Amino acid sequence: MIEIESLAVIAGSLPHRALGLVIEWASMHQKDLSAAWEDAKALQPLRKIAPLK
């Protein structure tokens, strides 16, 4: 689990390279992730977020 605002790992682990890619992607999409989290809490459909290129 990674906290959206700080991008800190709060539970679990990943190999270093994979974690780096996840953090890179999440930093590019923090606003989208925050909006998706709010939608999920409101039981709304989730929108797709672009993959890392």
Side-chain angles (χ1 to χ4, degrees):
M1 260 194 281
I2 297 175
E3 184 178 78
I4 295 170
E5 286 187 31
S6 67
L7 300 179
V9 176
I10 55 176
S13 63
L14 285 171
H16 184 70
R17 178 167 159 57
L19 180 58
L21 292 170
V22 169
I23 296 299
E24 180 182 352
W25 174 82
S27 69
M28 295 168 52
H29 296 287
Q30 275 182 296
K31 289 181 184 176
D32 297 326
L33 290 166
S34 291
W37 179 243
E38 292 303 317
D39 288 345
K41 291 192 302 186
L43 303 177
Q44 297 298 312
L46 302 179
R47 294 167 260 158
K48 290 188 177 192
I49 300 174
L52 187 62
K53 293 183 180 184

